[in-house]
């Protein structure tokens, strides 16, 4: 079997993403072989083609942390040819060939059977949408209800942010969307945001250990000063689900929000989440947590244009979720 793949290789000048024809021996170990229908564009995929990006262990590698498609063969009885599946997280796209190829082979313990979502819908959600749902689920598990007050979503035009706005608004929450992108208000309002504000903290605003309490909870994919500000403005007993660090890994805060207001900081990781919990959440993403406006979030490009989209993510000009068509697009 020969097939097409976009392979990231180290060169003297950096990392090149090159279309290549490869054979079955190029596939990595695993029990499930998938014909890839779609992948998606994520920040981590951009880092995979960035020199010293810090996410890839060894090159050459096929990027694409999201794989959706159809099982063509399986050594595990849980999966059969024709099953529609998604695989993401673990080592996919960082140490194990990912979705930027016509075929992928992965361990059965990384695979989720799709029920109620098409492969394209699953790719539109992808790791970012799954992380958003994981963040919302963490807040719901703590007992958050719409009557508790507004929920703040930062980085609201990104993959995690847009899906979080959509899910929360669909569940009846008053969502305040924070973004630094001018002109994003129309999209965020269409997703259900009650109001749209700028980046936090505002330019020139000092981050205080405690500030006026405003939010019942928060979904943060920014980190840094933004997270410090959010923690200082969450109401008593509230929580912030944090999954990103585009604003930096350091959080200049104190223990005061935690010990004076009982605020909780909920760390969200979608990479190593056990497969049982992963499958349960994907089942909810097809039901009660399914975004109501997924088509508004989705952009589509063929695999041959994937690299340009990844650069737009890295330079901060990308919004929403981009589905990358693989099958029939090489």
């Amino acid at each position: 079997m020969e097939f097409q793949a976009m392979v990231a290789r180290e060169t003297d000048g950096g990392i090149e993403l090159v279309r290549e024809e490869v054979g079955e021996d190029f596939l990595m170990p695993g029990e499930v072989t998938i014909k890839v229908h779609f992948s998606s564009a994520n920040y981590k995929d951009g880092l995979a083609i960035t020199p010293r990006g810090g996410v890839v262990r060894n090159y050459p590698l096929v990027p694409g942390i999201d794989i959706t498609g159809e099982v063509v063969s399986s050594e595990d009885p849980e999966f059969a040819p024709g099953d529609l599946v998604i695989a993401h997280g673990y080592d996919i796209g960082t140490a194990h060939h990912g979705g930027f190829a016509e075929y992928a082979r992965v361990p059965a313990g990384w695979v989720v059977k799709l029920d109620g979502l098409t492969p394209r819908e699953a790719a539109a959600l992808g790791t970012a949408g799954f992380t958003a749902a994981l963040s919302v689920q963490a807040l719901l598990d703590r007992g958050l209800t719409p009557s508790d007050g507004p929920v703040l979503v930062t980085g609201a035009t990104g993959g995690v942010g847009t899906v979080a706005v959509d899910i929360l608004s669909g569940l009846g929450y008053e969502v305040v969307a924070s973004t630094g992108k001018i002109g994003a208000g129309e999209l965020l309002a269409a997703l259900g945001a009650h109001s749209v504000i700028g980046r936090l903290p505002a330019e020139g605003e000092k981050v205080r250990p405690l500030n006026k309490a405003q939010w019942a909870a928060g979904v943060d994919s920014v980190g840094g000063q933004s997270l410090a500000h959010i923690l200082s403005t969450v109401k008593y007993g509230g929580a912030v689900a944090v999954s990103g660090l585009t604003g930096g890994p350091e959080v200049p805060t104190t223990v005061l929000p935690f010990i004076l207001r009982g605020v909780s900081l909920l760390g969200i990781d979608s990479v190593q989440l056990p497969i049982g919990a992963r499958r349960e959440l994907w089942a909810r993403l097809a039901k009660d947590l399914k975004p109501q406006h997924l088509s508004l979030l989705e952009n589509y490009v063929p695999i041959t244009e994937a690299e340009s989209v990844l650069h737009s993510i890295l330079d901060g000009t990308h919004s929403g979720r981009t589905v990358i068509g693989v099958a029939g697009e090489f």
Side-chain angles (χ1 to χ4, degrees), residues 99-119:
F100 289 11
E102 291 182 300
Y103 290 89
R105 181 175 291 152
V106 297
W110 295 0
V111 182
V112 178
K113 195 178 298 186
L114 293 174
D115 183 11
L117 291 170
T118 67

Side-chain angles (χ1 to χ4, degrees), residues 148-166:
D148 292 331
V151 179
L152 177 70
V153 176
T154 64
T157 59
V160 174
T162 49
V163 177
V165 170
D166 200 350

Side-chain angles (χ1 to χ4, degrees), residues 2-67:
E2 294 185 339
F3 60 96
Q4 301 294 315
M6 299 297 291
V7 183
R9 293 185 179 275
E10 286 184 303
T11 67
D12 291 340
I15 307 296
E16 286 187 350
L17 187 62
V18 182
R19 173 181 169 177
E20 299 182 10
E21 186 173 275
V22 297
E24 188 170 359
D25 59 352
F26 190 75
L27 295 172
M28 288 185 161
E31 297 79 38
V32 181
T33 302
I34 301 167
K35 180 179 181 180
V36 182
H37 291 180
F38 303 98
S39 186
S40 72
N42 298 277
Y43 188 73
K44 188 178 283 188
D45 297 318
L47 292 177
I49 62 169
T50 301
R52 297 176 297 280
V55 299
V56 173
R57 297 179 196 171
N58 293 292
Y59 294 95
L61 182 83
V62 176
I65 64 172
D66 294 330
I67 301 169

Side-chain angles (χ1 to χ4, degrees), residues 283-298:
R284 292 191 68 184
L285 272 165
K287 298 174 183 175
D288 61 309
L289 294 185
K290 186 173 184 178
Q292 302 300 301
H293 306 93
L294 195 55
S295 61
L296 296 179
L297 301 177
E298 180 200 305

